[in-house]
C-alpha cells in the first residue's frame, strides 16, 4: 500500500528533477552528480573514521576498563598517570627516535638506490624487484627472520666471531636493540621509498640537468642545485608518510623484542596495545592514542612548514 | 596572504587527521579486527539464543519437564579440545534430551579480546572457559556469578579437587571449576645426561646446579653448544619462581586474603630469586635468546634440562629423535610446583532455566568420566584427586611426574598476568644487563608487583 503510493511520488520528483536539471543545464547536473558521488566517501569517512576518533577522545577521559560496567568520568587522570609513568615516557622517547633517525635514513637510502638504479641499463627490472620485495613481504615474517639472524647465537654473531670479533648481545642489549629494530624497519621500507623517488625523478625534465651541465655544473652541483630542489614535493610527501609510519612503529617491535629489554625498544603504539588488550585499560590506552594524535599533528605541521616553501625555478 | 595560508592548512589538517586515524592502527587495528569478525560470531550465536527465547520451538519429544533449553559454551580454539567438547556435547545431550548445547570458539591470542568485546555487548555464553589468571578481572567486573551452591558445595570442591583449585575461590565463593589442569616439571634429555655420565635427574636445588654445570658445553668462542639448563625468564621461569622456588625455599607467595605479597617476609624470596638468576649470572649454564627460546633449544637437543609445562608434551611429539624424560621439580626445604588451568564459569547474566542447564552441563564437564576422556584426548591432567591419582595415570612414564606433584602444586593469584610477568623479566634484566645488585632488583620487583595488587584491591574495595 505504502509502496504503491510512493512510486508515483518518486516518479514525480524525478520528473521534476529532470525538468529542473534541464532548466539549470548540463553543468549544474554534473556538479550535483560529483557532489553526490563525493558525499558517499565523506559519509563513510565520518562514520568509520571520524566518529571513532571522537569516541576515543571521550574514552580517554574515563576510567574505562573493557569489562567493567561503570565507566566513570575522571577528567585528566589518565593523562596524568601516563605522563607520570616512566615506561610510557620511555616509549615516547623511543618513538621520537624511530622518527628522527628513521625518516632521514629511509629517505637517504631510498634516494640513493633510486639514483643508482636510474643509471643501470641492464637488469633494471630485476634490481627494482629485489629492492621492492621486502616491502611487500609480511612484517611479521621479516621480523622473525631478523630475530633469528640477530639472536645471541644467530648468523650475525657467527659472522662476527669468524671475523675474530666478539659476539654481541644485539637484541638483548639495551643499547643495541633499538638501532637493530630501526634498521629492520628501514630495510623494509627502502623499496617503497625507491619507487617514489624513481617516479619523482622521471618527472624532472632532462633539459634542466643538461642545461646545468652545459653551464659547467659538476655532478654534485647538479644534484644539489637542480635535482634535489625539484624533488622537494616528493621529499615532502615521503617525509610526511614516513614520519607517520615511524610514529606508528609497532609490528617489528612486538615481534622482535616485545619492547624489551627493559623497555629500550617499546613504542607508543606497543604500549597502547598492551594497555588496551593485555590489561584491558581502555581509558589509559585511549589517552595514549590522543597523545600520539597530537604528536602526529605537530610533526606534520612542522614538516609542512619546513618543506612546503614555494618552489622557484 | 594570511587568508591564503589558512587555506593551505586545511589539507594539512585533513591529512594529519586521516594519518592519525591510521596511527591508531595498533589499537584500532586490533579493535577493528575483532569487530570485523564480530558479526560472524554474533550471527553464529543468534540462532541459539533465538531458539531458546522462543519456547514455542520446544520439540514435542522433550521430556515431561517441558521446554527445551539451549545453552552456549565458549572456549578458545584448540583442535583437540574443540573436537572433544563436540563429542562430549553429544554424550551430554543423550543424557539430557531437553538441553541443547552449542559450542563457539575463538583463536587463542584473540580469545580474551573477543570475550571482552562481545560479552559486555550482551552476546554472551552460558558456560565460559577462562584462564584462571583472568578470573579476578572477570569477577571484579561483575561478569561472573558464583557457581550455584547446591550443585557445587564448597566443602565438596575442597574435598574432591587438588588444593590449588582454591585460586578460583574469590570473596569466599567459587566462580569456576577446571576439567583439566597443567603443572610444571623438569624435562631432561636422556642422551645428553648419558654423555655427561649422569644417570639420575636432579632432585635437589644443589643437584640441579651441579648437573647443569656438567651438562653445559661451549665452543672455542665461548658460545653455547649445549645449555645445561635452558634459561628463559619470560617463558615459564617466572611461574617457577612464584609457585615453585619460593615455596621450595620455605616462603609463601601471598597473604591468605591475597592482598599482600609475602616475598620479602622471609629470606626465602630473595634466595629463590637469586637462585634463578644465578643460572645465567654466576653458573653461566644457560642464557635467554639462544636457539630462539628454551622450548626450541630443548626440542633441538641444545638444552639438557628445561622447566616446562605438561602442555609441551604434545609439541615434543614431532621431535622423534629426542630421547627425553620428565622428573618432578627439584626440591629444597619443601616441594612445590606451579599448576595452571582453564576453568569453566557461568556469566552473571545467565538465569532461570538456562542457569539450571548451565549448572548441569558444568557438572557433567567436571565429572570423573569426562576428566578421564579429557586426559586421554588433550593431555591435560585430571583436576579431581580420585581421577588423577589412579595408577594408570600416576605410573604413566610422561604424565606420572606431572601428576605426582599435583597434591602440593600452587597457583599464583594473578591480578594482571602480563604486567606481573613483565615486571619479573625486567627485574632479571636489571641484574643481567645493568649489573644492579640482586637485592635491589628483587626489592623493586616486590614493590612494583605489590603496587599492582594495591591498585587491584583499591578498585575492589570501592565496589
Amino acid at each position: 500500500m505504502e509502496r504503491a503510493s510512493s512510486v508515483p511520488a518518486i516518479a514525480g520528483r524525478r520528473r521534476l528533477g529532470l525538468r529542473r536539471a534541464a532548466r539549470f543545464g548540463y553543468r549544474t547536473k554534473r556538479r550535483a552528480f560529483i557532489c553526490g558521488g563525493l558525499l558517499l566517501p565523506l559519509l563513510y569517512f565520518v562514520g568509520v573514521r571520524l566518529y571513532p576518533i571522537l569516541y576515543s577522545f571521550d574514552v580517554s577521559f574515563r576510567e574505562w576498563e573493557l569489562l567493567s560496567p561503570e565507566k566513570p568520568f575522571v577528567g585528566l587522570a589518565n593523562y596524568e598517570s601516563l605522563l607520570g609513568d616512566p615506561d610510557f615516557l620511555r616509549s615516547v622517547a623511543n618513538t621520537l627516535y624511530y622518527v628522527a633517525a628513521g625518516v632521514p635514513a629511509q629517505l637517504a637510502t631510498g634516494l640513493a638506490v633510486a639514483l643508482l638504479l636510474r643509471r643501470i641499463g641492464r637488469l633494471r627490472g630485476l634490481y627494482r624487484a629485489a629492492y621492492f620485495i621486502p616491502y611487500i613481504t609480511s612484517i611479521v615474517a621479516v621480523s622473525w627472520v631478523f630475530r633469528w639472524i640477530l639472536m645471541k647465537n644467530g648468523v650475525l654473531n657467527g659472522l662476527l666471531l669468524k671475523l675474530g670479533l666478539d659476539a654481541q648481545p644485539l637484541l638483548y642489549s639495551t643499547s643495541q636493540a633499538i638501532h637493530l629494530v630501526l634498521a629492520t624497519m628501514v630495510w623494509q621500507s627502502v623499496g617503497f621509498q625507491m619507487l617514489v623517488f624513481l617516479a619523482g625523478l622521471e618527472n624532472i625534465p632532462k633539459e634542466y640537468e643538461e642545461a646545468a651541465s652545459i653551464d659547467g655544473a659538476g655532478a654534485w652541483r647538479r644534484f644539489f642545485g637542480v635535482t634535489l630542489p625539484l624533488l622537494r614535493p616528493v621529499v615532502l610527501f615521503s617525509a610526511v608518510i614516513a614520519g607517520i609510519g615511524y610514529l606508528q612503529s609497532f609490528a617489528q617491535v612486538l615481534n622482535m623484542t616485545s619492547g624489551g629489554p627493559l623497555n629500550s625498544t617499546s613504542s607508543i603504539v606497543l604500549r597502547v596495545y598492551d594497555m588496551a588488550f593485555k590489561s584491558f585499560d581502555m581509558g589509559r590506552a585511549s589517552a595514549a592514542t590522543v597523545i600520539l594524535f597530537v604528536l602526529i599533528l605537530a610533526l606534520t605541521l612542522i614538516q609542512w612548514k619546513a618543506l612546503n616553501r614555494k618552489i622557484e625555478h | 596572504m594570511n587568508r591564503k595560508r589558512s587555506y593551505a592548512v586545511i589539507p594539512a589538517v585533513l591529512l594529519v587527521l586521516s594519518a592519525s586515524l591510521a596511527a591508531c592502527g595498533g589499537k584500532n587495528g586490533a579493535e577493528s579486527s575483532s569487530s570485523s569478525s564480530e558479526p560472524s560470531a554474533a550471527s553464529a550465536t543468534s540462532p541459539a539464543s533465538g531458539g531458546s527465547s522462543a519456547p514455542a520451538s520446544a520439540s514435542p519429544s522433550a521430556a515431561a519437564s517441558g521446554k527445551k533449553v539451549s545453552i552456549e559454551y565458549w572456549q578458545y580454539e584448540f583442535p583437540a579440545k574443540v573436537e572433544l567438547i563436540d563429542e562430549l556435547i553429544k554424550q551430554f545431550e543423550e543424557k539430557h534430551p531437553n538441553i541443547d548445547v552449542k559450542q563457539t570458539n575463538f583463536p587463542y591470542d584473540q580469545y580474551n579480546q573477543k570475550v571482552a568485546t562481545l560479552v559486555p555487548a550482551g552476546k554472551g555464553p552460558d558456560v565460559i572457559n577462562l584462564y584462571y589468571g583472568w578470573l579476578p578481572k572477570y569477577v571484579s567486573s561483575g561478569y561472573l556469578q558464583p557457581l550455584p551452591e547446591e550443585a557445587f558445595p564448597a566443602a565438596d570442591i575442597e574435598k574432591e579437587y587438588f588444593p590449588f583449585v582454591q585460586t578460583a575461590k574469590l570473596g569466599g565463593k567459587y566462580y569456576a571449576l577446571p576439567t583439566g589442569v597443567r603443572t610444571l616439571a623438569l624435562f631432561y634429555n636422556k642422551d645428553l645426561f648419558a654423555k655427561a655420565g649422569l644417570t639420575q635427574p636432579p632432585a635437589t636445588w644443589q643437584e640441579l646446579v651441579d648437573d647443569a654445570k656438567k651438562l653445559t658445553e661451549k665452543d672455542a668462542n665461548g658460545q653455547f653448544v649445549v645449555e645445561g639448563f635452558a634459561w628463559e625468564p619470560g617463558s615459564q621461569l617466572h611461574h617457577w619462581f612464584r609457585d615453585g622456588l619460593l615455596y621450595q625455599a620455605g616462603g609463601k607467595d601471598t597473604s591468605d586474603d591475597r592482598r599482600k605479597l609475602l616475598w620479602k617476609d622471609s629470606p626465602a624470596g630473595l634466595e629463590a630469586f637469586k637462585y634463578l638468576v644465578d643460572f645465567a649470572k654466576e653458573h653461566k649454564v644457560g642464557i635467554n635468546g639462544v636457539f630462539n627460546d628454551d622450548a626450541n633449544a630443548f626440542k633441538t637437543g641444545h638444552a639438557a634440562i628445561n622447566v616446562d609445562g605438561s602442555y609441551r608434551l604434545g609439541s615434543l611429539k614431532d621431535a622423534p629423535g629426542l630421547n627425553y624424560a620428565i622428573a618432578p621439580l627439584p626440591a629444597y626445604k619443601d616441594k612445590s610446583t606451579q599448576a595452571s588451568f582453564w576453568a569453566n564459569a557461568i556469566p552473571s547474566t545467565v538465569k532461570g532455566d538456562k542457569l539450571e542447564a548451565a549448572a548441569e552441563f558444568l557438572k557433567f564437564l567436571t565429572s570423573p568420566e569426562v576428566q578421564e576422556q579429557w586426559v586421554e584426548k588433550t593431555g591435560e591432567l585430571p583436576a579431581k584427586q580420585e581421577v588423577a591419582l589412579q595408577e594408570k595415570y600416576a605410573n604413566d612414564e610422561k604424565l606420572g611426574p606431572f601428576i605426582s606433584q599435583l597434591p602440593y602444586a600452587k597457583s599464583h593469584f594473578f591480578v594482571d598476568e602480563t604486567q606481573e610477568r613483565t615486571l619479573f623479566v625486567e627485574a632479571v634484566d636489571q641484574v643481567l644487563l645493568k649489573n644492579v645488585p640482586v637485592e635491589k632488583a628483587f626489592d623493586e620487583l616486590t614493590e612494583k608487583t605489590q603496587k599492582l595488587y594495591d591498585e587491584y584491591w583499591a578498585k575492589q574495595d570501592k565496589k
Side-chain angles (χ1 to χ4, degrees), chain A residues 49 53 65-67 69 148 151-153 161 172 244 248 261-263 269 272 277 279-280 293 296-297 300, chain B residues 16 19-23 26-27 30 112-113 116 137 141 223 287-292 416 419 426 433-434 459:
Chain A
R49 290 296 211 178
I53 306 189
E65 286 239 4
L66 191 54
L67 285 162
W148 286 324
M151 72 183 178
K152 278 179 186 161
N153 55 353
L161 287 167
Y172 293 85
I244 291 163
Q248 295 175 52
L262 294 174
N263 271 316
V269 182
V272 169
F277 297 112
S279 300
F280 303 123
F293 171 85
I296 293 184
L297 186 74
T300 311
Chain B
V16 169
S20 67
L21 292 159
K27 174 178 159 274
N112 226 338
Q113 212 169 301
K137 279 223 155 159
S141 306
Q223 301 295 299
I287 193 70
N288 53 345
V290 289
F291 310 107
N292 197 41
D416 186 331
Q419 287 204 53
E426 283 182 5
L433 302 176
K434 299 272 175 190
K459 275 183 193 162

Side-chain angles (χ1 to χ4, degrees), chain B residues 215-252:
Chain B
L215 289 157
T216 302
E217 202 185 311
K218 291 183 184 174
D219 66 12
N221 294 314
Q223 301 295 299
F224 280 110
V225 179
V226 171
E227 290 183 283
F229 180 73
W231 192 83
E232 199 79 44
S235 295
Q236 306 303 330
L237 295 191
H238 67 109
H239 293 302
W240 187 42
F241 166 75
R242 286 188 214 92
D243 294 318
L245 299 175
L246 193 61
Y247 288 96
Q248 290 164 11
K252 203 168 172 237

